[in-house]
Amino acid sequence: MQNNTFTPYGAITPKPLNFYLNEQEQTLEQLYALLKDERLALRKRDLEAVSSIAEQKSALMMKLQGNDQKIKLNPQAAKLKNEFASRVAGIKAALCECKKLNAINGRLITLALNSTRRLSSILMQTRDRTTRNLTYTDKGCTVARGPMRVSIEC
């Protein structure tokens, strides 16, 4: 990856708009592949992979945002509406696909959390059936109180 070049007077010469558009396309391709990997890891309940993917996803999102700012500030930005309109449309479509896949992954995470909470509640009810020590927190989660009990918080 190249950096912007400096002129003899210390001003930064921006890269051509085409360079940043290429970077956006490549980054979105990487993000889409990563989101597919995340969905697979979520289905397998591979928490280590999900954690690693979350870090990589965050880095790619930061790169997308940085490039977006560079594109907006580029002196050639006016060309986005005519000369580069088809590429911008392709980038927007790719971003939309990434957002859809990310939303699906978000729903998978929510389902997994809800399932874990239900399982925890069932286990606590079973454990405390004889003692009748089951109470609910302000968040609606069950907590066992009493002698020799371990509370499970959500």
Side-chain angles (χ1 to χ4, degrees):
M1 180 186 287
Q2 301 171 359
N3 291 328
N4 291 328
T5 56
F6 289 93
T7 63
Y9 301 106
I12 297 175
T13 305
K15 294 195 180 307
L17 198 53
N18 202 32
F19 174 84
Y20 296 117
L21 293 174
N22 287 338
E23 278 209 342
Q24 291 295 75
E25 290 166 341
Q26 292 169 1
T27 303
L28 285 167
E29 287 174 13
Q30 292 170 351
L31 181 61
Y32 189 78
L34 196 61
L35 288 166
K36 285 176 130 179
D37 292 344
E38 182 182 48
R39 183 176 60 188
L40 184 61
L42 287 167
R43 286 185 175 166
K44 291 182 176 179
R45 296 187 186 241
D46 184 351
L47 300 180
E48 289 180 25
V50 170
S51 177
S52 172
I53 289 170
E55 290 177 21
Q56 294 173 52
K57 192 166 68 167
S58 179
L60 288 175
M61 293 302 296
M62 294 299 291
K63 185 176 179 180
L64 283 171
Q65 288 177 345
N67 283 340
D68 195 45
Q69 288 301 315
K70 290 174 186 173
I71 289 170
K72 286 179 183 176
L73 298 173
N74 193 294
Q76 300 174 334
K79 292 181 179 181
L80 291 172
K81 294 181 180 176
N82 48 38
E83 189 177 331
F84 295 111
S86 63
R87 287 190 68 194
V88 170
I91 289 170
K92 286 182 178 180
L95 181 61
C96 185
E97 289 301 312
C98 286
K99 285 181 178 182
K100 286 178 186 176
L101 192 50
N102 195 49
I104 291 169
N105 291 352
R107 285 193 296 269
L108 287 174
I109 290 169
T110 300
L111 289 172
L113 285 171
N114 289 341
S115 176
T116 301
R117 287 183 183 132
R118 280 193 304 272
L119 177 61
S120 173
S121 177
I122 290 169
L123 290 173
M124 290 172 64
Q125 288 173 1
T126 301
R127 181 189 70 187
D128 292 326
R129 202 168 296 249
T130 57
T131 62
R132 307 282 182 228
N133 265 343
L134 196 58
T135 60
Y136 291 89
T137 66
D138 60 340
K139 294 179 183 174
C141 299
T142 54
V143 178
R145 303 278 185 215
M148 309 254 313
R149 297 286 186 237
V150 177
S151 294
I152 299 175
E153 297 180 11
C154 50

